[in-house]
Amino acid sequence: MDTVTYPDPAVEQALRDSFVGLKIDLLARHPDFKEASGSQRIGFAPAFVIYDQGREVRRYIGWLDPRAFRAELLFTRASAAFSKGDVPTAKTLLEELLRDFEGTPIVPEALYLHGMVAFLAGKKDLAAMRVSWERCAREFPTTRFGMHCSVIADAPT
Amino acid sequence: MLADFWNDQLAAARAAADAAQKLLLVYVHAPG
């Protein structure tokens, strides 16, 4: 992360725009480690735990390249907005993600969340949800999100 | 460079994030 992903200018911009960072060495017995890492133990690195006003909104372990990391940051912002009930912001961020970050690993999960957001934004608009979920099920059938979305085939038309 | 982006104390980072209405990213790394 420190040699490839973080030095990327677009990553730096995305972080500065929407995040405050806390960097903790897994091996250094940092006094804040237990509290900062949240309720679950972290035993491997690189690990990422993201909080919104003290509430954990995302956690994962593993390296991402600059583009995939930017997509992950965007998804995290959308997910945080959705968790707060800010459906319009979540929808805007997910549509930016799906437009600009095609081919990144977060796309199946972004389609899944976009389907839910589109459904709610449209006052139970099943047709809007169907677009994202059918695409997710069709293009990513072996992922868990493709499986989640596959139930759309049984929804009323 | 992002050297100045990272805080090394949780309280400072949390206060800055909450005040700026930004998300707090905790990055756990293992140097070397």
Side-chain angles (χ1 to χ4, degrees):
Chain A
M1 292 299 295
D2 289 297
T3 56
V4 175
T5 302
Y6 290 135
D8 183 278
V11 167
E12 178 167 359
Q13 188 66 50
L15 286 171
R16 288 194 190 281
D17 285 348
S18 304
F19 293 83
V20 170
L22 173 68
K23 185 175 182 178
I24 291 185
D25 181 344
L26 179 66
L27 309 173
R29 298 180 183 277
H30 190 290
D32 290 339
F33 179 79
K34 190 173 179 182
E35 186 181 353
S37 62
S39 57
Q40 299 173 50
R41 183 177 174 274
I42 293 177
F44 206 79
F48 306 83
V49 188
I50 296 102
Y51 294 90
D52 183 14
Q53 302 285 317
R55 186 173 52 86
E56 184 176 326
V57 293
R58 187 84 173 156
R59 165 188 296 255
Y60 65 94
I61 296 173
W63 179 79
L64 292 170
D65 72 20
R67 188 162 176 268
F69 187 63
R70 284 169 56 211
E72 177 69 34
L73 295 176
L74 202 49
F75 181 85
T76 299
R77 291 172 57 205
S79 183
F82 182 66
S83 296
K84 289 192 291 196
D86 185 354
V87 171
T89 297
K91 187 169 184 286
T92 298
L93 293 170
L94 288 167
E95 287 170 359
E96 180 183 342
L97 191 164
L98 292 168
R99 184 188 66 233
D100 296 344
F101 293 95
E102 188 68 39
T104 58
I106 199 70
V107 167
E109 190 171 0
L111 284 167
Y112 176 58
L113 184 57
H114 183 265
M116 289 191 277
V117 165
F119 177 78
L120 295 172
K123 309 276 191 246
K124 301 186 178 178
D125 184 350
L126 196 57
M129 181 180 189
R130 189 183 300 278
V131 172
S132 292
W133 281 29
E134 283 185 345
R135 181 186 160 202
C136 185
R138 184 176 63 250
E139 295 184 17
F140 307 100
T142 60
T143 68
R144 63 175 292 166
F145 299 101
M147 181 174 285
H148 293 332
C149 292
S150 68
V151 299
I152 197 66
D154 299 326
T157 53
Chain B
M1 294 295 290
L2 272 175
D4 63 337
F5 173 77
W6 300 111
N7 293 268
D8 61 2
Q9 299 293 324
L10 176 61
R14 180 175 286 158
D18 291 353
Q21 302 236 329
K22 293 182 176 182
L23 301 179
L24 171 63
L25 171 68
V26 177
Y27 165 45
V28 180
H29 71 127

